[in-house]
């Protein structure tokens, strides 16, 4: 049913136990008159099919982490790998990125926005139509298929961007606060949809979020980051079954996970804001 | 629903405003005529009558043709140079940062100071007229294009990279549509200024064209001729600009 978005399953060479994507001793310093050490050093291994979330205080380098893993920015030190090959200079085939900012193309309708990457990749028009129609339904954009982004709310535009990335059937999906512009209810529902998609496509997901409950509910593992320069202060396994949804919030273990994340984040957020933890 | 209710009323008031402006201009014109007398300007009615009679003259159309040829050539050159320079400078950030203030400063110097130089370089005739048109039009087109490229949200280009677009695809499918409305505005401004430049060029450096007719009328104290030609030029420019403005609005409607 969701085969229109499913791509990862057909991947060859999946037998190797090596990580699907990995960062080894990665740092990133923005050069300039006053260089900004934004990230790291960081080590991270994402297992194939894993759902990994990152939480961290504002400005700690989360978006930088995504840029580096995607190949959009080079690390200042360290090594970035994807499917056994170093990531260098450009975004490798198989990685899809959803940016924190609204990246919809204002001159294209919702449908054309979602079809954009497929058309550029020369995918057969019938196949484009099939995948785009599925994604439009999946993202709840049916009534706005012919609308332009300016006619949509921020949350809907973000859904367009998510759809535009998903139809490319990435094997590693990098999501930078994709639900940031959504209200809490829609956010939970979208979380469920994302989980369903993740199960059906078997893609690896790296999700950046500022919502602790979202991280706790969606992920196999959650990384809590320190204030800038971002480093992992905790890597926490949730232990949820693969079949799961937002009803997890009622689980006994759920509160313990968010509490543990918050204990890290509280201290680091205070640091990030220039205060000292009490 | 409410939009369809509101729109006709707004359109009507806009048309009314435009009518009022035209009426006010006519009153000013008549006032100027009453004040200065027929040695400086002709009355609106006499001018329109004379302008219409000119439309039947062969010499009039050959001058229109001369101006049109010079104008179209200038506009083509100014647009091409301006868009290319703006894109180049915008994409090559450092150069853009350095040249933008220089261009803006260059733009504000009275171009009249360049006229002797251009006359020396191009002599009298078509090439000088075109050069006048180009120096007036090219800088605004460059500046608008440069601003369009610099104002482009970086995330759009990052998306292009994330979707693995080739440089050519990025140029064609992201950069071009993203900057098109701004560039069109630049071309619209460039259109008016190029026309101005060509007319001035014809006054200084030519024996033909609308600008030449205006100056000729002044020199020969043929007030009727001067006023009628000015009227025709102004009306043409206003109509052309209104058309371009409408196209401009259309382009921006989706933004
Ligand atoms: N292009 C840049 N040049 C210089 N410094 C930068 C640049 N981009 C980001 N930074 C700095 O790097 C640090 C990390 O930025 P980043 O965007 O990765 O943070 P973030 O964790 O995504 O923040 P947020 O939660 O607000 O999205 C910040 O201090 C920021 O000021
Ligand atoms: Mg960020």
């Amino acid at each position: 049913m969701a085969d229109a978005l499913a791509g990862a399953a057909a991947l060859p060479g999946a037998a190797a136990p090596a990580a699907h994507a990995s960062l080894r001793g990665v740092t990133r310093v923005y050069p300039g008159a006053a260089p900004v050490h934004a990230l790291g050093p960081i080590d991270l291994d994402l297992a194939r099919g894993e759902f990994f979330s990152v939480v961290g205080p504002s400005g700690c380098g989360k978006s930088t982490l995504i840029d580096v893993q995607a190949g959009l920015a080079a690390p200042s030190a360290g090594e970035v790998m994807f499917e056994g090959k170093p990531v260098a200079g450009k975004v490798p085939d198989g990685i899809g990125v959803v940016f924190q900012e609204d990246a919809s193309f204002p001159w294209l309708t919702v449908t054309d926005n979602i079809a954009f990457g497929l058309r550029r990749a020369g995918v057969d028009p019938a196949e484009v139509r099939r995948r785009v129609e599925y994604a439009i339904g999946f993202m709840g954009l049916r009534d706005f298929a012919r609308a332009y982004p300016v006619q949509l709310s921020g949350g809907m535009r973000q859904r367009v961007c998510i759809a535009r990335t998903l139809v490319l059937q990435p094997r590693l999906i990098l999501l930078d606060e994709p639900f940031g512009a959504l209200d809490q209810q829609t956010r939970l529902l979208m979380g469920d949809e994302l989980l369903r998609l993740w199960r059906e496509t078997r893609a690896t997901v790296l999700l950046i979020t500022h919502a602790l409950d979202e991280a706790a509910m969606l992920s196999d593992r959650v990384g809590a980051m320190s204030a800038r320069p971002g480093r992992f202060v905790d890597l926490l396994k949730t232990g949820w079954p693969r079949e799961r949804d937002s009803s997890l919030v009622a689980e006994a273990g759920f509160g313990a996970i968010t509490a543990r994340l918050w204990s890290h984040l509280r201290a680091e957020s205070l640091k990030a804001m220039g205060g000292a933890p009490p | 629903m409410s939009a369809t209710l509101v729109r006709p009323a707004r359109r009507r008031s806009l048309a009314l405003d435009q009518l009022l402006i035209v009426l006010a201009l006519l009153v000013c014109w008549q006032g100027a005529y009453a004040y200065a007398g027929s040695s400086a300007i002709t009355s609106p009615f006499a001018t329109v009558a004379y302008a219409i009679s000119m439309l039947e003259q062969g010499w009039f159309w050959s001058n229109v043709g001369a101006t049109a040829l010079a104008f179209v050539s200038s506009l083509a050159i100014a647009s091409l140079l301006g868009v290319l320079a703006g894109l180049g400078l915008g994409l090559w950030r450092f150069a853009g940062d350095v040249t933008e203030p220089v261009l803006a400063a260059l733009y504000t110097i009275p171009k009249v100071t360049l006229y002797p130089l251009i006359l020396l370089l191009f002599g009298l005739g078509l090439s000088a007229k075109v050069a006048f048109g180009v120096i007036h039009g090219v800088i605004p087109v460059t500046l608008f294009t440069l601003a369009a490229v610099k104002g482009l949200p970086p995330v759009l280009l990052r998306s292009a990279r994330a979707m693995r677009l080739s440089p050519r695809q990025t140029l064609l499918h992201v950069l071009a549509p993203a900057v098109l409305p701004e560039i069109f505005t630049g071309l619209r401004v460039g259109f008016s200024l190029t026309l101005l430049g060509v007319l001035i060029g014809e006054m200084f450096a030519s024996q033909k064209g609308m600008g030449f007719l205006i100056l000729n009328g002044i020199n020969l104290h043929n007030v009727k001729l001067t006023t009628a030609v000015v009227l025709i030029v102004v009306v043409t420019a206003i109509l052309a600009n209104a058309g371009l403005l409408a196209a401009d609005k259309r382009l921006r409607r989706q933004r």
Side-chain angles (χ1 to χ4, degrees), chain A residues 67 72 91 93 99 103 120, chain B residues 158-159 161 164 169 177 255:
Chain A
D67 278 6
L72 288 163
V91 180
D93 178 36
F99 294 100
R120 298 295 86 77
Chain B
R158 278 151 51 83
S159 299
R161 287 177 63 203
R164 302 164 47 80
Q169 287 177 320
R255 307 296 157 119

Side-chain angles (χ1 to χ4, degrees), chain A residues 76-122:
Chain A
S76 309
E79 193 188 38
V80 186
M81 302 284 286
F82 174 64
E83 294 181 346
K85 291 194 216 67
V87 173
K90 62 185 197 108
V91 180
D93 178 36
I95 294 188
V97 190
V98 176
F99 294 100
Q100 189 170 7
E101 305 95 331
D102 170 26
S104 59
F105 297 130
W107 59 91
L108 295 178
T109 62
V110 166
T111 302
D112 290 337
N113 256 290
I114 298 174
F116 183 87
L118 291 172
R119 292 196 176 132
R120 298 295 86 77

Side-chain angles (χ1 to χ4, degrees), chain A residues 30-31 36 38 56-65 100 176-177 228:
Chain A
Y30 288 100
V36 179
S58 183
C60 74
K62 303 185 294 295
S63 297
T64 306
L65 173 72
Q100 189 170 7
D176 196 350
E177 305 205 16
R228 185 178 66 83

Side-chain angles (χ1 to χ4, degrees), chain B residues 18 21 25 35 46 53 60 64 69 73 81 89 122 126 136 140 147 174 176 185 198 203 206-207 218 233 249:
Chain B
Q18 285 165 343
I21 289 173
L25 285 174
Y35 173 77
S53 78
F60 172 75
V64 169
L69 174 66
S73 319
L81 282 183
L89 294 173
F122 294 96
L126 182 64
H136 280 83
V174 179
T185 306
V198 168
M203 293 182 179
S206 174
Q207 297 296 313
I218 293 173
V233 168
K249 283 212 182 105

